[in-house]
Amino acid sequence: MKLQRAHAAAANELARTDDSLVRSMAAITEYQSQASHVGAQYETMQELKAYVADICDCLKDKAPLIEELEEHIQRSVEQRAAASTERRRFDVEDEATMADAAIS
């Protein structure tokens, strides 16, 4: 009787150990899968970091040229606005002259 209980206890312990081993192996497989996915994400982020650094360096090199072009565009816009205002002023003066001539 004692021998049967000892055997049953050992069999139960073996079954629990077997189940624990199966769960552990499944967890290891899952962690390995996640690790490879995380590794791929890490590589992608490193490549993205290098790309952004290159873009920043490029912008730093091009910044003076960009600022010069922006100033040129701003001057052009201001000159066009001044010319348009001047044209309108002349048009108004011409209309006033024509109106005065029509009245006289």
Side-chain angles (χ1 to χ4, degrees):
M1 189 84 150
K2 281 186 175 183
L3 186 58
Q4 289 174 343
R5 279 186 269 162
H7 178 63
N12 285 338
E13 183 65 27
L14 178 61
R16 282 195 312 266
T17 302
D18 222 13
D19 185 47
S20 178
L21 179 62
V22 168
R23 284 192 314 249
S24 295
M25 292 301 290
I28 288 171
T29 302
E30 177 65 23
Y31 294 147
Q32 286 173 338
S33 172
Q34 289 176 0
S36 68
H37 179 67
V38 169
Q41 282 183 329
Y42 179 77
E43 287 178 25
T44 302
M45 293 308 289
Q46 290 298 96
E47 290 171 3
L48 184 60
K49 180 181 174 184
Y51 176 74
V52 169
D54 289 345
I55 293 293
C56 288
D57 289 341
C58 179
L59 285 174
K60 185 172 65 174
D61 292 342
K62 302 295 181 187
L65 178 62
I66 292 170
E67 289 173 4
E68 181 182 333
L69 291 172
E70 285 178 341
E71 289 172 7
H72 179 71
I73 290 170
Q74 182 63 33
R75 283 192 303 272
S76 295
V77 167
E78 289 169 358
Q79 289 171 355
R80 285 182 186 170
S84 179
T85 302
E86 189 68 17
R87 270 194 310 270
R88 281 191 219 125
R89 187 176 65 78
F90 285 137
D91 288 345
V92 168
E93 287 175 2
D94 287 343
E95 288 175 6
T97 304
M98 292 194 315
D100 285 343
I103 292 175
S104 303

